[in-house]
Amino acid sequence: MSQQGYVAAPPYSQSQPGIGGFSAGFGPPNSSLHYGHYGDPNSSYSAPPPGVSKSAVPFGSSAPVGPPPPGTHEFSQTNFQNGPSTPGQQPQRFQGPPLPSNTGPSYPPYNRQSQPTYPNTASASSTAQLANQLTSMQINSYGPGATPSSHMSPGHPASFQGPPLPPPTQHQIASPPGAQVPPPTSQVSGLCAQPSLPPMARQDGIPGSVPPNPNLQQLSGQPPGPGYPPQQGNYGPQMAGSQLSYPGAFPGGPAQLAGPQQKKLDPDSIPSPIQVIENDKASRGGQIYATNTRGQVPPLVTTDCIIQDQGHASPRYIRCTTYCFPSSSDMAKQARIPLAAVIQPFALVPPNETPLYVVNHGETGPIRCNRCKAYMCPFMQFIEGGRRYQCGFCNFINDVPPFFFQHLDHIGRRVDHYEKPELSLGSYEYVATLDYCRNNKPPNPPAYIFMIDVSYRNINSGLVKLICDELKTLLDKLPREEQEESSAIRVGFVTYNKVLHFFNVKSSLAQPQMMVVSDVGEVFVPLLDGFLVNFQESRSVVINLLDQIPEMFADTNESETIFAPVIQAGMEALKAAECAGKLFIFHSSLPTAEAPGKLRNRDDKKLLNTDKEKTLFQPQVNSYEALARDCVANGCCVNLFLFPNQYVDVASMGLVTMYTGGTLYKYNNFQLEADSPRFLSDLRRDIEKKTGFDAIMRVRTSTGFRATDFFGAIYMNNTTDVEMAAVDCDKAVTVEFKHDDKLNEDIGALIQCAVLYTSISGQRRLRIHNIGLNCSSQLADVYKTCETDALINFFAKSAFKAILSQPLKMVREILVTQTAHMLACYRKNCASPSAVSQLILPDAMKVLPVYMNCLLKSCVLTGRPEIPTDERAYHRQLVTSMGVADTQLFFYPQLLPIHNLDLKSDRIPAAVRCSEERLSEGGAFLLANGLSMFLWLGVSAPPELIQGLFNVPSFAHISTESTSLPDLDNPFSKKIKSILEHIQSQKPYTMKLMIVKQREQPEMLFRQFLVEDKSIYGGASYVDFLCCVHKEICQLLS
């Protein structure tokens, strides 16, 4: 079998520069055939003889035998054009099939081959060589606040003879001259042998365990060495003699014992998210951040500071992927950095920051530009002695209304500049006039309708009684305006199974009255007067009803439920009362009763990794989309609390919630004892949330660019109006911008977001957020001001939207390609010249690869039979409306060591990297990602720690059944409780606490959150992914 395409460097000599167009062992030369996306371990051969199949596919089916399919591109230099794309063509990102090869790399989607798009299937030999090179690499980050890393692999003094120092703000990962590249270990293909795996990326086993002799090939019948899980036959057939071809290994014979054993790669030598977070905290934490300069980069979302609005919106409201836009669309296409803003218009501000001022111009209403309708803001320039102003967005010259006139001072600024919020602040509110109201009538205060599924299972589990008991106290806490004594929100109650029960709770009644609607095909509201009431006025009747509901249905044996008619009924009730509001629906099963919106169980694992997988994320019937549209039109927001113990089709049931700006909560296999604290905490927080109702958002920009795409819990009837039946403090809308002309570097790029909404007291208001960004014709300026956390928020949302219309494999490939493109463009245009074998990362993006790998490994983008479809649809929906802080924690969880706490200090311990390497047998660690929380205990955790936390004598006595820690009166327990509360306080969902003991079964679940390691579902480790991205960059640059 010929090994065409490889020139194997002698193991002990220096790597030969420039072999096949690459320097120092970067994978196969340009002429080798690649297919799929990452190439394939087979790529170094010509066609193998018939009958010898090389399975390189950890997902079950073996890779195709024989030569690659026709039409496969040969990657030669002509394929990669790193400059601007052909005029008129956008760089490919989730827009249909890949573009032709003249617009940048076009990866042929070879769909018949179910080869996963995971970097661990990267061309095996090259990735392993890369891993070995990375072992001896030198990393210098001379960006702000960083010091050259002192962690060098042992025995490599040569590391210090690296290339000349890079200029500041770039992160270098370099192979020193003469780095030895030993041939990698050969192993059997199949699930358990990852060809690209350095021994450090083992799956489990004792830390540091390595196969006994990594240079000996394992034959496919032999058990693998320790540190690798046993091979199971059910992952696809094992081919006798299936081997990977490496330099130095004869095809068909055992691998040569050549070169030293692989060294363990020092993970401290690659960029650390924790280091970046800690550096920012050290330099900017606790300080005042004033928003007085256009285009300044704010502190990271993980840094606590005090924000002072001095003319641009606080980063709590708006964060951008870069704070300096490229001045032309050609530049933007070249860099491929998405230009986007993540807008969280109702974000909570801490008590030590000023709340928004409300401006009231009475009958005349807000002042706006006559041409583009932008609202008065700090970007308007007053001229002609203050009688006119030039709009900062469209440059139109407007007259100043007489009541608003004011003289200008010696620098041309109005003398009342600092007295008017709309002239001096980035964010403020206007009281809207009747022109901004539905039917030109002032709105009524909103209403909350509680709709409880009283089918057999919910009654039996105690859930219905739990909800009714909680509502008795919760209704006293309905949100109200600060100055008002009681809430203006009215409440109503419905129960349902196969039919609907409405309740009249008018204050004049002695007993509540029930009215049944059994015609669920055409739902109508049987009563208007007495359905929506003020809780304080009808308190005794409502409490009476809540006492009766669990008893009323105690003997039910009705197990079938309806769902769409429930939403329809709630919406009709709000419509009849001429008010906006929220439905709180408590539901537990697939709606199988004969009614509109009836669903069947369509969960089908056979669709995974096929073109039809996308259908699992789409609603199975069209009626939910039409229902969502009607809800938005009537200001009806749907909050859904799901309690499933099997498939409930979240993709269909959650659709109305998503489109109406509602929140979806899911409690799998709900147990009253274990799960009620979490559910009640979510319910309390949701009811008390500050919310804007019946909202519509518009994003305006200065000339030269415009908003083109919107992602979030929103509905869009046209291309500009973002409609939300409600918007709360946790919901963020991510907006993408595109150029339609050149931008002016002096003026910058200005953005104004205006949200028209009804307040909880029924007042129509406008909330305005303004931000100014810089523009530059220098790519380096764009890279310097990027924000990785906002980029990941954008990539997650755009990818999660794309999977509705494209195969997952293609979506994952586009993410990898985009990452490589952004970094290659920096390397080519901004970095100082250096050897190709160096990986050079811009300082502001040096942790982009680790976050991108976390996104690629998320359950939404990983089609595996072990992951429930509902869980994937649920995560997809949550992420779609998340802000930057929430996506940051969700994709890269916080891992805190808690075994050596300083009990005297109030500080939270510093986090460590999310990797098994950071755990210790004698330690205890807390991991949180915003949805789940784990307390991991090492087998040798100190007995005093165990006693202090659990009040039991030893590790063996700890029960992992509990979902909370006992309340104990000792300093250690109190400190841990305060840490838990602190982490929880900043997050929209109450996290479920799981107690995990080392080497016990539930540890497998915990391991999935150690995102820097290899995933049990086939996702690459951070090191492997970095190698893969480096290889892509080298190909782009070659």
Side-chain angles (χ1 to χ4, degrees):
M1 200 187 291
S2 80
Q3 287 189 288
Q4 153 247 334
Y6 264 118
V7 182
Y12 289 101
S13 73
Q14 289 193 2
S15 312
Q16 298 170 8
I19 295 177
F22 287 115
S23 157
F26 270 89
N30 299 6
S31 61
S32 81
L33 287 161
H34 280 239
Y35 48 98
H37 175 56
Y38 296 110
D40 167 279
N42 305 346
S43 60
S44 56
Y45 304 79
S46 56
V52 180
S53 161
K54 285 167 212 62
S55 158
V57 189
F59 286 0
S61 59
S62 54
V65 177
T72 304
H73 294 271
E74 296 208 359
F75 283 155
S76 61
Q77 295 186 354
T78 53
N79 284 72
F80 291 108
Q81 171 189 334
N82 208 34
S85 306
T86 310
Q89 284 192 302
Q90 287 292 349
Q92 171 203 0
R93 206 195 56 248
F94 305 139
Q95 295 130 346
L99 296 182
S101 59
N102 63 339
T103 58
S106 156
Y107 295 95
Y110 177 53
N111 291 331
R112 292 184 299 283
Q113 174 193 8
S114 68
Q115 186 182 342
T117 313
Y118 270 125
N120 60 317
T121 59
S123 167
S125 39
S126 56
T127 313
Q129 285 180 333
L130 270 162
N132 286 339
Q133 273 190 318
L134 281 169
T135 315
S136 56
M137 66 196 167
Q138 162 187 349
I139 301 214
N140 304 317
S141 170
Y142 294 102
T147 51
S149 168
S150 59
H151 299 281
M152 292 297 165
S153 304
H156 267 263
S159 297
F160 294 102
Q161 312 160 4
L165 296 185
T169 73
Q170 71 187 32
H171 197 84
Q172 283 206 339
I173 302 188
S175 260
Q180 293 176 349
V181 185
T185 65
S186 279
Q187 283 172 335
V188 203
S189 51
L191 180 86
C192 305
Q194 287 80 12
S196 57
L197 207 63
M200 49 96 26
R202 69 203 172 283
Q203 279 196 342
D204 52 15
I206 335 106
S209 69
V210 176
N213 184 345
N215 287 332
L216 277 172
Q217 164 135 11
Q218 292 176 337
L219 296 172
S220 48
Q222 297 175 350
Y228 291 92
Q231 298 194 346
Q232 297 295 333
N234 59 353
Y235 290 115
Q238 292 199 355
M239 303 298 171
S242 69
Q243 290 162 352
L244 301 174
S245 157
Y246 289 119
F250 295 114
Q256 302 248 304
L257 297 180
Q261 287 206 6
Q262 285 184 31
K263 281 175 307 302
K264 195 166 169 181
L265 174 56
D266 177 11
D268 287 320
S269 62
I270 54 179
S272 155
I274 301 301
Q275 195 58 54
V276 169
I277 290 168
E278 291 302 324
N279 288 353
D280 197 70
K281 280 182 181 170
S283 60
R284 305 181 82 169
Q287 300 177 12
I288 290 177
Y289 171 74
T291 66
N292 53 9
T293 314
R294 188 183 78 194
Q296 64 182 344
V297 182
L300 295 180
V301 284
T302 41
T303 300
D304 273 330
C305 59
I306 298 161
I307 294 161
Q308 224 172 51
D309 185 341
Q310 294 187 6
H312 296 270
S314 155
R316 297 191 199 285
Y317 297 121
I318 303 183
R319 283 186 173 269
C320 299
T321 52
T322 173
Y323 293 87
C324 177
F325 277 13
S327 54
S328 71
S329 64
D330 282 350
M331 251 181 94
K333 284 175 191 164
Q334 190 179 351
R336 291 231 201 148
I337 295 171
L339 308 177
V342 186
I343 304 172
Q344 202 162 332
F346 283 78
L348 290 177
V349 295
N352 59 358
E353 290 176 19
T354 320
L356 296 191
Y357 287 97
V358 180
V359 180
N360 191 343
H361 287 322
E363 297 286 296
T364 54
I367 298 168
R368 306 177 69 174
C369 168
N370 287 323
R371 183 200 277 164
C372 71
K373 301 295 182 225
Y375 294 87
M376 178 56 67
C377 69
F379 306 145
M380 305 300 190
Q381 186 66 47
F382 289 89
I383 52 175
E384 296 178 25
R387 286 189 301 281
R388 307 178 86 187
Y389 69 92
Q390 182 171 21
C391 173
F393 296 92
C394 70
N395 302 325
F396 186 72
I397 295 187
N398 297 271
D399 291 328
V400 172
F403 82 91
F404 197 66
F405 172 77
Q406 187 54 271
H407 294 285
L408 307 183
D409 63 13
H410 64 289
I411 56 167
R413 191 156 57 183
R414 285 174 53 128
V415 295
D416 63 352
H417 176 83
Y418 289 107
E419 289 152 38
K420 293 209 174 300
E422 70 271 40
L423 299 182
S424 56
L425 298 178
S427 302
Y428 43 88
E429 293 202 310
Y430 277 118
V431 175
T433 55
L434 290 179
D435 302 342
Y436 294 88
C437 302
R438 266 181 210 272
N439 311 327
N440 290 26
K441 284 184 2 197
N444 290 313
Y448 285 0
I449 304 177
F450 298 92
M451 315 184 88
I452 306 170
D453 165 1
V454 290
S455 60
Y456 173 77
R457 216 184 110 217
N458 283 4
I459 293 285
N460 215 27
S461 69
L463 179 62
V464 173
K465 185 171 187 331
L466 179 74
I467 293 166
C468 292
D469 288 347
E470 180 62 26
L471 286 177
K472 290 179 210 170
T473 53
L474 204 46
L475 292 174
D476 276 322
K477 300 186 181 134
L478 292 172
R480 56 188 167 84
E481 297 287 354
E482 255 103 65
Q483 66 280 9
E484 295 185 6
E485 290 203 354
S486 66
S487 174
I489 292 173
R490 292 173 297 162
V491 294
F493 303 88
V494 173
T495 58
Y496 65 94
N497 38 44
K498 267 166 83 166
V499 295
L500 292 150
H501 322 108
F502 287 77
F503 294 94
N504 183 345
V505 283
K506 200 174 177 178
S507 57
S508 56
L509 294 173
Q511 284 280 337
Q513 296 171 347
M514 176 164 98
M515 296 181 179
V516 179
V517 174
S518 52
D519 180 6
V520 291
E522 292 290 325
V523 175
F524 66 97
V525 181
L527 77 159
L528 290 180
D529 188 33
F531 177 62
L532 293 178
V533 296
N534 178 304
F535 175 63
Q536 302 305 339
E537 291 169 11
S538 294
R539 175 186 288 271
S540 61
V541 193
V542 170
I543 299 282
N544 196 337
L545 170 68
L546 293 170
D547 283 335
Q548 287 182 32
I549 287 175
E551 293 164 15
M552 211 183 297
F553 298 100
D555 301 327
T556 186
N557 54 7
E558 183 53 74
S559 59
E560 282 199 310
T561 55
I562 55 176
F563 183 64
V566 181
I567 298 176
Q568 184 83 33
M571 181 195 71
E572 297 290 351
L574 292 175
K575 189 175 173 181
E578 296 187 340
C579 69
K582 271 190 196 181
L583 311 182
F584 290 81
I585 302 180
F586 305 92
H587 189 94
S588 69
S589 57
L590 197 66
T592 52
E594 269 320 313
K598 171 185 174 179
L599 298 172
R600 59 186 173 78
N601 186 340
R602 51 143 184 189
D603 192 17
D604 185 0
K605 300 292 186 205
K606 289 200 284 295
L607 299 181
L608 298 182
N609 300 306
T610 70
D611 277 359
K612 288 199 173 145
E613 184 170 4
K614 55 179 178 273
T615 59
L616 296 173
F617 296 104
Q618 300 162 356
Q620 61 170 285
V621 288
N622 295 336
S623 53
Y624 283 102
E625 215 145 322
L627 183 57
R629 188 175 56 241
D630 293 346
C631 284
V632 172
N634 290 290
C636 168
C637 167
V638 179
N639 274 353
L640 180 55
F641 294 81
L642 276 176
F643 304 87
N645 59 1
Q646 56 201 34
Y647 177 75
V648 290
D649 198 351
V650 169
S652 300
M653 294 188 72
L655 192 79
V656 180
T657 297
M658 172 113 108
Y659 279 153
T660 58
T663 309
L664 177 60
Y665 300 91
K666 189 156 86 70
Y667 311 92
N668 298 336
N669 303 314
F670 181 81
Q671 302 290 324
L672 206 62
E673 295 299 308
D675 299 311
S676 51
R678 182 164 62 109
F679 158 56
L680 295 178
S681 158
D682 282 337
L683 179 60
R684 285 168 200 149
R685 190 172 185 279
D686 201 301
I687 282 182
E688 295 169 24
K689 265 182 195 179
K690 284 277 190 293
T691 304
F693 296 88
D694 199 10
I696 186 160
M697 178 171 110
R698 211 15 115 68
V699 177
R700 292 182 173 83
T701 56
S702 52
T703 52
F705 73 115
R706 63 195 164 85
T708 55
D709 264 315
F710 299 86
F711 308 93
I714 55 175
Y715 184 78
M716 298 207 63
N717 231 348
N718 54 36
T719 55
T720 54
D721 296 333
V722 178
E723 296 182 58
M724 297 168 279
V727 54
D728 64 45
C729 52
D730 300 314
K731 300 287 182 291
V733 179
T734 301
V735 184
E736 186 178 15
F737 302 98
K738 293 262 166 68
H739 287 76
D740 45 22
D741 205 349
K742 265 187 99 71
L743 298 179
N744 180 324
E745 294 192 32
D746 300 332
I747 297 167
L750 310 179
I751 298 167
Q752 181 179 79
C753 161
V755 184
L756 173 65
Y757 73 99
T758 301
S759 72
I760 42 182
S761 60
Q763 189 180 46
R764 203 71 177 144
R765 287 192 191 167
L766 281 150
R767 182 169 282 219
I768 314 291
H769 297 298
N770 305 285
I771 190 169
L773 309 176
N774 287 335
C775 299
S776 174
S777 53
Q778 300 298 313
L779 278 170
D781 295 334
V782 180
Y783 280 95
K784 207 164 30 194
T785 60
C786 279
E787 185 178 311
T788 299
D789 296 327
L791 279 167
I792 286 299
N793 179 284
F794 172 83
F795 282 127
K797 290 186 183 187
S798 55
F800 287 7
K801 185 177 182 177
I803 61 173
L804 292 175
S805 54
Q806 293 181 26
L808 261 82
K809 181 173 190 289
M810 192 186 291
V811 173
R812 290 195 300 254
E813 284 175 9
I814 293 168
L815 287 172
V816 179
T817 310
Q818 178 111 9
T819 307
H821 253 273
M822 285 156 52
L823 298 175
C825 175
Y826 174 81
R827 172 69 191 261
K828 182 176 174 184
N829 299 289
C830 312
S832 57
S834 57
V836 185
S837 60
Q838 279 190 309
L839 174 60
I840 299 182
L841 303 169
D843 198 69
M845 278 189 188
K846 65 186 176 200
V847 291
L848 181 71
V850 65
Y851 282 132
M852 188 60 92
N853 190 35
C854 297
L855 168 57
L856 287 165
K857 292 199 284 191
S858 72
C859 72
V860 181
L861 296 181
T862 314
R864 293 289 300 207
E866 304 91 330
I867 307 171
T869 306
D870 272 347
E871 205 59 22
R872 299 173 71 197
Y874 175 58
H875 283 195
R876 181 182 166 268
Q877 183 154 339
L878 297 194
V879 169
T880 300
S881 63
M882 276 184 185
V884 177
D886 292 338
T887 47
Q888 190 277 332
L889 185 67
F890 182 73
F891 290 113
Y892 194 93
Q894 197 173 21
L895 183 61
L896 304 175
I898 54 165
H899 43 275
N900 42 16
L901 288 177
D902 178 359
L903 297 177
K904 295 188 178 65
S905 143
D906 287 339
R907 293 192 48 216
I908 302 277
V912 294
R913 293 171 71 162
C914 269
S915 167
E916 192 194 334
E917 305 228 323
R918 308 289 156 167
L919 305 176
S920 54
E921 293 193 353
F925 292 80
L926 198 60
L927 183 143
N929 78 336
L931 286 185
S932 310
M933 205 183 254
F934 295 88
L935 176 55
W936 181 91
L937 299 155
V939 284
S940 333
E944 57 274 19
L945 179 148
I946 289 165
Q947 183 71 46
L949 270 186
F950 299 96
N951 204 19
V952 296
S954 73
F955 182 81
H957 291 80
I958 299 169
S959 158
T960 53
E961 298 300 301
S962 173
T963 53
S964 63
L965 294 174
D967 286 309
L968 302 175
D969 191 12
N970 69 63
F972 188 68
S973 179
K974 286 177 177 165
K975 173 78 178 172
I976 298 291
K977 288 261 181 182
S978 80
I979 292 173
L980 290 174
E981 275 161 31
H982 175 78
I983 296 173
Q984 184 56 68
S985 67
Q986 305 161 319
K987 293 296 147 205
Y989 296 90
T990 308
M991 293 179 246
K992 179 176 185 172
L993 179 68
M994 289 182 66
I995 292 159
V996 173
K997 292 159 79 172
Q998 187 180 4
R999 298 182 194 153
E1000 290 192 6
Q1001 185 54 40
E1003 200 186 13
M1004 289 301 280
L1005 183 61
F1006 168 75
R1007 289 268 182 92
Q1008 291 170 41
F1009 295 88
L1010 299 176
V1011 290
E1012 289 199 18
D1013 299 341
K1014 196 170 188 317
S1015 151
I1016 58 169
Y1017 295 135
S1021 69
Y1022 174 22
V1023 175
D1024 286 350
F1025 184 69
L1026 204 56
C1027 295
C1028 163
V1029 169
H1030 189 180
K1031 180 162 156 271
E1032 293 267 324
I1033 293 169
C1034 290
Q1035 287 189 341
L1036 288 169
L1037 296 175
S1038 62

